[in-house]
Amino acid sequence: MRIFKFGGASVKNADGVKNMASVLRTVGYENTLVVVSAMGKTTNALEVVIKNYFENRSELQSSIQDVKKFHNEILLDLFENTQHPIFKKVSGIFEDLDYFLGRNKSPDYNFVYDQVIGNGELVSTTIISAYLNEIGIVNNWLDVREFIKTDNYYRRANVDWDRTQTNIQSNFDTKLLNITQGFLGSDPNNFTTTLGREGSDYTAAIFAYCLNASSVTIWKDVPGVLNADPRYFENAKLLNKISYREAIELAFYGASVIHPKTLQPLQRKEIPLYVKSFLNPKDEGTMVGKGVGIEPEIPCYIVKKNQVLIRLSSLDFSYIVEDNISYIFKLLHEYKMKVDVIQNSAISFSVCFDNTYNNLETLLQQLKARFKVTCYENVSLYTVRHYNESAIASVEKGKELLLKQLTQETIQMVTK
């Protein structure tokens, strides 16, 4: 059993869907599960829909229409017969979306987010499954929400592994080519949940673990795992092999090629992960598995933009020790801040985090009651694994350095 995952960039238009079919024919698709993300920038477009639902109702229908038009153009490019049942199926998904937005009574942004955002994956897999069947690649469409069960921590749901494993092992036919959605699950009340942005990789790993798969392959628009994101760094180089441990370190620090939660279930069963190019499917790509370090051993650069750095110091010059640190972390947890770096001295404490849930102002009000607070928004966090002096110099050049922290193998720098 093999698991393939295709991201939004690989199916961003009709040509991408056709290329996906070509990849399957090139590498084979027997005993294969294909996990697919939303097409292109659909997730971003649906986030606009959600924003308009809460903030600008006059633009709501227009933003929904943009999403419908994008998918309809792909349908028209893939299916010559406009009477094909796929047109009605896709219309049905958007009718369900309209129905939800018209009837929803919940003011919970995160709940609404998950009910709306998952439509991107539902539409993409519905279109792709129908197209593959149309050209003779016979497959079975699955609703992932019937398999992956989670709690109701909307936008970053936690998997109920016992129920999920039972569902997959009891109701999954491994003899077929199956197509399903990444990123999604469902809670005990069968409402849609999501596993966090870029969670489709995690979906692939969940199925791999439960099915004892022989491998997972993530198909990307890059040759494999690179030592740096080519959007931000010049001369990025391909890493041929990476150990699970090293890949988990890179993912933890924010490397976007592999989702942070993806590797743990794979490591537990020693299932190899391949990252390959959907443009050159016969190339070796990168293999993540058992072993030591990385090959070749070169500095690996990771950057996270739009971070928040806050510096706290006690109002009475008392030490920032266990009770203060415990209070700070309690607030960070309460306001759902994902912490990336911490640094403290006797009377000061610095923390860099993601403000994913837009709770920064409320957090700052709470902290100012007890500490002197300095806040820097829209900062960048650079992490370099296996650093050397030239790597550090290249990151620091031309930037204002706000925080710097070194360990034996890793350096992290927060800059403006």
Side-chain angles (χ1 to χ4, degrees):
M1 188 74 202
R2 296 180 303 172
I3 314 293
F4 289 169
K5 180 262 175 171
F6 287 87
S10 64
V11 291
K12 65 184 178 181
N13 52 31
D15 287 342
V17 176
K18 292 173 183 176
N19 183 69
M20 176 183 166
S22 174
V23 170
L24 293 176
R25 284 180 168 146
T26 300
V27 301
Y29 50 85
E30 290 183 356
N31 308 111
T32 301
L33 167 66
V34 177
V35 175
V36 188
S37 301
M39 292 173 153
K41 300 294 185 183
T42 299
T43 300
N44 292 343
L46 286 169
E47 286 181 336
V48 174
V49 170
I50 297 162
K51 182 177 173 62
N52 287 337
Y53 175 78
F54 281 101
E55 300 177 12
N56 189 4
R57 288 292 181 98
S58 65
E59 293 295 322
L60 178 60
Q61 285 305 315
S62 173
S63 56
I64 295 172
Q65 197 59 38
D66 289 342
V67 181
K68 291 179 181 178
K69 182 182 176 185
F70 170 74
H71 288 94
N72 196 54
E73 288 174 355
I74 293 174
L75 282 170
L76 292 170
D77 286 341
L78 292 175
F79 298 90
E80 292 181 7
N81 177 15
T82 56
Q83 301 305 310
H84 192 288
I86 184 61
F87 287 88
K88 190 171 182 181
K89 280 187 180 179
V90 170
S91 292
I93 294 171
F94 285 116
E95 285 168 11
D96 289 344
L97 172 61
D98 288 332
Y99 181 86
F100 170 78
L101 292 173
R103 298 296 182 93
N104 172 62
K105 303 297 183 190
S106 172
D108 182 348
Y109 178 92
N110 298 317
F111 169 77
V112 172
Y113 183 98
D114 277 8
Q115 307 322 300
V116 173
I117 211 75
N119 287 279
E121 279 71 19
L122 294 173
V123 173
S124 72
T125 52
T126 300
I127 293 172
I128 288 164
S129 175
Y131 175 73
L132 294 177
N133 278 321
E134 184 79 358
I135 63 172
I137 301 179
V138 178
N139 70 89
N140 182 40
W141 183 91
L142 300 175
D143 187 336
V144 74
R145 296 170 297 181
E146 296 176 4
F147 294 88
I148 295 180
K149 304 303 288 187
T150 72
D151 61 11
N152 60 0
Y153 195 120
Y154 298 111
R155 295 182 69 192
R156 204 161 67 206
N158 301 293
V159 174
D160 181 335
W161 280 94
D162 289 337
R163 288 189 65 197
T164 297
Q165 190 150 4
T166 299
N167 290 345
I168 291 174
Q169 291 180 345
S170 303
N171 304 303
F172 193 93
D173 188 344
T174 59
K175 298 183 185 67
L176 303 173
L177 168 62
N178 291 288
I179 309 290
T180 198
Q181 308 79 38
F183 184 49
L184 309 181
S186 65
D187 69 12
N189 293 314
N190 293 320
F191 287 113
T192 303
T193 56
T194 61
L195 306 176
R197 284 297 294 264
E198 309 301 331
S200 295
D201 294 357
Y202 188 32
T203 304
I206 293 166
F207 275 102
Y209 181 89
C210 295
L211 292 167
N212 295 311
S214 59
S215 66
V216 173
T217 302
I218 299 173
W219 297 96
K220 305 280 290 184
D221 56 356
V222 290
V225 179
L226 305 177
N227 75 321
D229 188 329
R231 293 174 298 175
Y232 304 117
F233 299 93
E234 295 178 357
N235 304 316
K237 296 181 173 62
L238 178 68
L239 302 174
N240 302 317
K241 294 180 182 176
I242 316 176
S243 68
Y244 290 118
R245 180 185 177 85
E246 183 65 35
I248 287 170
E249 291 277 5
L250 292 172
F252 173 79
Y253 289 118
S256 59
V257 171
I258 303 171
H259 188 270
K261 292 182 179 176
T262 300
L263 294 154
Q264 286 134 350
L266 300 181
Q267 183 185 29
R268 285 202 292 271
K269 291 195 175 179
E270 296 186 1
I271 299 168
L273 170 68
Y274 297 92
V275 181
K276 295 189 175 187
S277 167
F278 59 71
L279 301 173
N280 300 290
K282 290 187 176 180
D283 288 357
E284 291 292 324
T286 301
M287 194 272 276
V288 181
K290 222 176 161 184
V292 179
I294 59 173
E295 178 193 310
E297 188 166 329
I298 53 178
C300 296
Y301 302 83
I302 302 154
V303 60
K304 296 181 78 172
K305 303 280 190 177
N306 302 316
Q307 301 289 290
V308 177
L309 174 69
I310 57 174
R311 287 180 177 153
L312 310 174
S313 56
S314 53
L315 295 172
D316 59 358
F317 293 97
S318 60
Y319 293 136
I320 295 193
V321 287
E322 288 84 352
D323 59 338
N324 283 324
I325 292 173
S326 174
Y327 175 75
I328 294 164
F329 271 96
K330 177 177 174 290
L331 290 178
L332 291 168
H333 175 73
E334 183 179 335
Y335 293 109
K336 299 180 180 179
M337 301 299 184
K338 184 181 178 297
V339 174
D340 293 309
V341 186
I342 60 171
Q343 190 175 82
N344 69 291
S345 65
I347 58 172
S348 69
F349 185 92
S350 297
V351 58
C352 182
F353 53 81
D354 288 312
N355 182 30
T356 307
Y357 291 85
N358 297 315
N359 290 327
L360 180 61
E361 289 305 317
T362 317
L363 171 66
L364 291 176
Q365 286 173 14
Q366 294 274 357
L367 290 170
K368 285 175 181 176
R370 189 160 169 174
F371 304 99
K372 179 182 177 183
V373 180
T374 305
C375 178
Y376 303 89
E377 295 185 59
N378 299 316
V379 298
S380 297
L381 169 63
Y382 289 87
T383 303
V384 187
R385 290 276 295 166
H386 312 292
Y387 62 87
N388 53 35
E389 289 303 319
S390 63
I392 296 171
S394 68
V395 171
E396 290 182 343
K397 186 178 179 181
K399 302 179 184 72
E400 180 185 347
L401 193 62
L402 301 174
L403 181 149
K404 184 174 182 178
Q405 187 163 274
L406 289 88
T407 64
Q408 189 172 352
E409 292 186 318
T410 305
I411 182 170
Q412 293 190 280
M413 293 171 277
V414 178
T415 70
K416 284 184 74 175

